[in-house]
């Protein structure tokens, strides 16, 4: 190197790329997420965790690298519907970018996420995977690609509906293909529910089913059909002569192609031009006498599909959590590497507060996702208490996590600044995709009413939630007693308020607030329980501090004229934004510090 002299005509070139904060390219999303490993150790057996971790590590690396690049390309090159083949035959087909096919190979083939809960032997595990373990893979994959999460979920859902309610002949014909990991044998599934007339009001659907021997003929129109060219479709239709409303609705399986290879009698009218999930084909489908087969009792079709909707809502919550975690990864990468006004962003008080908001919503959703998945595992094993708990946890998770994802992804974009608004970075895609979560499987109003009027008011599921939260507090003997007492009181108050709202005939205006309170109190208790468990495992109690932040910023009524930044709040931020473990004594002092 020489010093600039009179013969130099220009200053040495600078590393202009270094002026822009890096993104998460090349990050391993599993290794960057110690909270995920901690929660898996809590919820899985030691043997299963040991078997799963190398696969999770592999997926974490792919999600931050190759799959992330594929997701970017698939989003930029959405599917195209063709009405004819190159020989002029009227054969509909959808053209996908090769990057989307790569994503399919990873999700369905290499990792078999769609089949984990049903098929033995996926990734070398001799039994079907517990839901809690499966959704760890969902969580990592969807940090790279959200759109394909729908085909994964509906294929899984179709297989479960068929396994639970289909007759032996239907299962023999279609179940293996829905759970295949061999891409040449796989038959992806779809669930065509929405109609113009109905939307969330499924009882108004007009699709008609007429019996012909051992099959039915369907006529009507489905208005929003994701994974539009799936080979096996589950859908609802009204058998000819059936009563009005949801009791007159039956569940049917409709194949894309008939036994002789010819296309069934329905057509994709067009593909939707969507705000987000642009990689995946959603369409409008017209049924023109399509052949279909009844699944289960015809007068129980809505009830059977509703069971799967609840499972899909859990998956929806996990996917929204994945968007938040990806947004967190991006935000913290910017904050640690961008220097402005002579300081790193992470050292600035307002930025630290914004990072904590992003972190808090993400960790709440992660904890509640695993608790809900665990309840589903126990319910499917026959626990009635777990089934009641699941009935309230599922809509509560779906309601709050999906709404939080919209704000978290927006705040993370703001952390990057104006460059975060540019489509070359992941932030716009995260924000666009996040808006689907609070619409898919029921809008926020619909889901809040489900949680309050049905789960609490009709099924009394609040009692199961109260019992579960009290049991977690009783199981947290190493957590300071004063904090457990405070959480116990908040639990009782939230349950009483939910019951009061559910009992009123004019309860709709308060349903959302009551559902949010259930979520926040349940997450505060769960974070404290996890903090005690993690401290026992490896001496780190910092997760308890997230429990306090939930109470301070999501539950407690704050005086808008009171200063909130103080020594305790700064210490909490230092712990949560740093890498140093903290013991129970150190954390305990901060739980109740003014």
């Amino acid at each position: 190197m020489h010093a600039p002299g009179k013969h130099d005509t220009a200053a040495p070139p600078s590393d202009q790329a270094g002026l822009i904060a890096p993104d998460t390219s090349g990050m391993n999303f599993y290794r960057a997420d110690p909270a995920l490993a901690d929660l898996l150790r809590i919820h899985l057996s030691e043997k299963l965790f040991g078997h799963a971790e190398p696969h999770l590590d592999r997926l974490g690396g792919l999600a931050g690298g190759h799959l992330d690049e594929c997701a970017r390309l698939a989003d930029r090159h959405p599917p195209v519907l063709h009405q004819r083949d190159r020989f002029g035959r009227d054969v509909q087909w959808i053209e996908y970018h090769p990057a989307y096919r790569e994503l399919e190979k990873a999700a369905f083939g290499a990792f078999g996420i769609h089949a984990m809960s049903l098929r033995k032997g996926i990734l070398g595990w001799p039994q079907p995977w517990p839901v809690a373990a499966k959704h760890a893979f969902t969580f990592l994959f969807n940090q790279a690609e959200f759109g394909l999460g729908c085909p994964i979920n509906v294929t899984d859902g179709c297989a479960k509906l068929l396994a639970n309610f289909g007759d032996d002949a239907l299962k023999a014909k279609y179940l293996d293909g829905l759970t295949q990991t061999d891409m040449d044998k796989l038959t992806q599934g779809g669930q065509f529910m929405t109609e113009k007339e109905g939307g969330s009001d499924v009882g108004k659907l007009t699709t008609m089913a007429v019996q012909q021997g051992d099959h039915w003929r369907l006529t009507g129109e489905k208005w929003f059909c994701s994974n539009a060219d799936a080979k096996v479709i589950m859908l609802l239709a009204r058998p000819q002569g059936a009563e009005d409303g949801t009791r007159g609705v039956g569940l049917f399986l409709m194949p894309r192609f008939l036994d002789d290879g010819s296309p069934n009698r329905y057509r994709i009218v067009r593909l939707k031009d969507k705000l987000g999930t642009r990689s995946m084909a959603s369409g409008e489908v017209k049924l023109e006498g399509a052949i279909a087969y009844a699944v289960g009792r015809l007068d129980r079709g809505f009830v059977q599909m509703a069971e799967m909707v609840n499972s899909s809502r859990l998956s929806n919550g996990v996917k929204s959590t994945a968007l938040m975690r990806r947004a967190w990864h991006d935000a913290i990468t910017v904050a640690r590497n961008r220097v402005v006004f002579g300081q790193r962003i992470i050292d600035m008080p307002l930025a630290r507060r914004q990072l904590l908001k992003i972190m808090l919503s993400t960790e709440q959703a992660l904890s509640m996702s695993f608790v809900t998945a665990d309840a589903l595992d126990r319910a499917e094993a026959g626990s009635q208490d777990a089934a009641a708990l699941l009935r309230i946890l599922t809509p509560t998770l779906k309601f709050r996590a999906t709404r939080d994802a919209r704000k978290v992804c927006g705040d993370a974009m703001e952390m990057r600044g104006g460059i975060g608004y540019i489509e070359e970075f992941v932030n716009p895609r995260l924000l666009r995709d996040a808006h689907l979560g609070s619409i898919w499987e029921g809008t926020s109003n619909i889901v809040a009413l489900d949680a309050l009027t049905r789960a609490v008011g009709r099924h009394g599921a609040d009692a199961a939630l109260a019992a579960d939260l009290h049991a977690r507090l009783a199981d947290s003997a190493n957590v300071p007693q004063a904090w457990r007492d405070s959480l116990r009181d908040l639990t009782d108050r939230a349950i009483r308020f939910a019951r009061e709202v559910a009992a009123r005939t004019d309860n709709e205006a308060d349903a959302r607030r009551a559902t949010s309170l259930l979520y926040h109190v349940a997450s505060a208790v769960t974070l404290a329980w996890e903090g005690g468990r993690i401290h026992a495992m490896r001496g780190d109690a910092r997760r308890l501090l997230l429990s306090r932040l939930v109470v301070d910023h999501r539950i407690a009524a704050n005086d808008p004229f009171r200063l909130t930044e103080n020594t305790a709040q700064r210490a909490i931020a230092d712990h949560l934004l740093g890498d140093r473990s903290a013991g129970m004594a150190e954390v305990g002092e901060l739980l109740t510090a003014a």
Side-chain angles (χ1 to χ4, degrees):
M1 297 281 296
H2 71 282
K6 63 180 181 180
H7 299 296
D8 293 313
T9 58
S14 63
D15 181 7
Q16 293 296 318
L19 300 178
I20 305 298
D23 61 13
T24 61
S25 296
M27 180 181 290
N28 184 310
F29 291 153
Y30 178 74
R31 296 180 190 178
D33 193 353
L36 175 59
D38 282 336
L39 298 192
L40 287 172
R41 286 188 176 95
I42 290 173
H43 288 284
L44 303 184
S45 69
E46 184 178 350
K47 183 177 181 181
L48 179 54
F49 175 75
H51 182 86
E53 188 169 42
H55 300 291
L56 292 167
D57 185 74
R58 179 163 64 100
L59 179 55
L62 288 169
H66 177 62
L67 296 182
D68 187 42
E69 178 61 18
C70 288
R72 186 186 69 81
L73 288 170
D75 180 74
R76 296 288 293 272
H77 302 279
V80 177
L81 173 64
H82 297 277
Q83 300 292 347
R84 284 187 163 194
D85 68 9
R86 62 184 180 275
F87 299 107
R89 295 172 296 196
D90 291 328
V91 179
Q92 288 191 320
W93 60 285
I94 297 177
E95 180 183 0
Y96 295 92
H97 192 273
Y100 185 82
R101 295 303 192 193
E102 282 290 296
L103 292 165
E104 286 182 316
K105 289 177 185 177
F108 290 101
F111 291 95
I113 301 171
H114 68 296
M116 279 184 155
S117 294
L118 282 170
R119 195 179 188 104
K120 297 179 180 179
I122 302 294
L123 296 178
W125 187 249
Q127 298 298 322
W129 290 68
V131 177
K134 176 187 77 172
H135 279 316
F137 289 88
T138 303
F139 177 66
L140 287 172
F141 183 85
N142 281 270
Q143 288 180 50
E145 162 61 10
F146 188 80
L148 189 62
C150 178
I152 296 168
N153 183 63
V154 293
T155 302
D156 183 10
C158 283
K160 286 182 179 176
L161 284 169
L162 183 57
N164 290 342
F165 305 113
D167 60 33
D168 290 342
L170 276 182
K171 286 190 279 192
K173 190 171 185 179
Y174 295 107
L175 187 56
D176 181 71
L178 286 167
T179 61
Q180 274 286 346
T181 57
D182 182 335
M183 298 302 291
D184 292 330
K185 298 178 180 178
L186 171 69
T187 51
Q188 290 186 36
Q191 295 173 28
F192 295 177
M193 294 276 286
T194 307
E195 299 187 6
K196 297 177 192 175
E197 298 82 1
S200 295
D201 189 358
V202 178
K204 286 187 176 180
L205 68 78
T206 60
T207 298
M208 186 63 64
V210 178
Q211 190 166 15
Q212 287 189 353
D214 66 346
H215 62 265
W216 296 72
R217 292 277 185 179
L218 305 185
T219 56
E221 188 169 349
K222 295 295 183 179
W223 180 238
F224 208 104
C225 305
S226 293
N227 210 20
D229 59 345
K231 298 301 188 294
V232 177
I233 310 300
M234 289 287 184
L235 73 170
L236 297 175
R238 195 177 307 280
Q240 190 175 39
E243 63 182 295
D244 294 335
T246 56
R247 292 183 179 179
V249 171
L251 177 64
F252 295 88
L253 183 153
M254 181 177 71
R256 179 81 172 121
F257 296 99
L258 304 178
D259 292 344
D260 63 2
S262 63
N264 204 349
R265 294 189 62 179
Y266 68 91
R267 58 191 175 90
I268 304 167
V269 178
R270 64 170 179 166
L271 298 185
K272 299 285 194 182
D273 185 9
K274 298 172 293 181
L275 172 69
T277 64
R278 299 181 65 85
S279 63
M280 182 265 299
S282 300
E284 299 165 19
V285 171
K286 194 162 188 178
L287 311 174
E288 300 169 325
I291 289 177
Y293 304 93
V295 179
R297 287 172 45 184
L298 288 176
D299 61 346
R300 298 280 293 173
F302 175 77
V303 174
Q304 292 167 178
M305 183 62 90
E307 289 185 22
M308 200 45 52
V309 167
N310 261 334
S311 179
S312 294
R313 284 176 173 173
L314 165 58
S315 179
N316 193 336
V318 174
K319 291 175 176 62
S320 291
T321 307
L323 292 177
M324 287 191 272
R325 179 61 93 214
R326 177 64 187 277
W328 162 258
H329 285 321
D330 190 76
I332 195 66
T333 299
V334 171
R336 287 172 174 164
N337 291 279
R338 174 81 167 153
V339 176
V340 292
F341 305 112
Q343 283 184 292
R344 293 188 311 160
I345 288 177
I346 197 171
D347 297 323
M348 296 179 168
L350 273 178
R352 290 167 74 79
R353 190 174 181 84
Q354 189 164 336
L355 286 168
L356 286 177
K357 288 181 178 180
I358 294 171
M359 173 190 279
L360 183 59
S361 293
T362 305
E363 298 299 343
Q364 282 183 277
L366 186 64
S367 294
M368 293 299 289
S369 292
F370 275 105
V371 165
T372 307
D374 178 70
L376 178 54
D377 279 323
R378 291 186 289 117
E380 290 186 341
S383 169
Q384 293 301 309
D385 291 339
L389 177 62
L390 182 69
R391 184 64 187 86
I392 183 67
L393 284 179
T394 304
T396 303
L397 169 68
K398 198 278 185 187
F399 170 76
R400 190 68 262 160
T402 58
R403 293 185 64 79
D404 286 347
R406 289 157 35 180
K407 188 173 190 312
V408 163
C409 292
D411 283 353
M413 174 185 285
E414 189 174 285
M415 188 65 66
R416 187 170 281 280
I419 198 80
Y421 198 67
I422 305 304
E423 292 281 353
E424 290 174 312
F425 287 87
V426 75
N427 308 87
R429 176 157 54 93
L430 295 179
L431 187 59
R432 287 188 278 106
D433 287 348
H435 279 266
L436 177 60
S438 54
I439 298 174
W440 183 16
E441 306 291 10
T443 61
S444 298
N445 288 346
I446 292 294
V447 177
L449 289 173
D450 182 45
L452 267 293
T453 62
R454 287 183 282 278
V456 175
R458 189 179 302 169
H459 300 292
D462 50 289
L465 179 59
D468 180 81
L469 297 181
H470 279 288
R472 291 185 192 279
L473 291 171
D475 189 40
S476 304
N478 61 344
V479 173
Q481 183 68 48
W483 189 246
R484 286 189 287 148
D485 290 342
S486 177
L487 292 176
R488 190 174 290 109
D489 177 64
L490 288 171
T491 295
D492 293 341
R493 290 174 63 190
I495 296 294
R496 282 197 302 269
F497 182 64
R499 288 170 178 166
E500 180 183 356
V501 172
R504 295 171 61 98
T505 56
D506 58 344
N507 67 345
E508 288 199 11
D510 289 315
R512 287 161 64 120
R513 184 159 59 96
T515 304
S516 287
L517 279 170
L518 288 177
Y519 178 85
H520 293 318
V521 170
S523 64
V525 171
T526 302
L527 287 161
W529 173 75
E530 292 165 349
R533 289 293 193 92
I534 296 167
H535 183 262
M537 287 191 302
R538 59 179 185 86
D540 189 357
R542 285 181 298 163
R543 204 160 181 83
L544 270 164
L545 298 175
L546 292 167
S547 177
R548 169 167 176 170
L549 291 185
V550 172
V551 174
D552 287 351
H553 299 285
R554 301 287 192 265
I555 300 172
N558 290 316
D559 179 355
F561 299 104
R562 179 175 63 87
L563 294 174
T564 58
E565 184 72 4
N566 55 36
T567 301
Q569 291 294 323
R570 284 191 290 271
I572 289 171
D574 287 342
H575 280 301
L576 292 176
L577 296 176
D579 296 322
R580 182 178 67 84
S581 296
M584 188 63 71
E586 188 177 6
V587 165
E589 292 180 359
L590 293 172
L591 287 178
T592 54

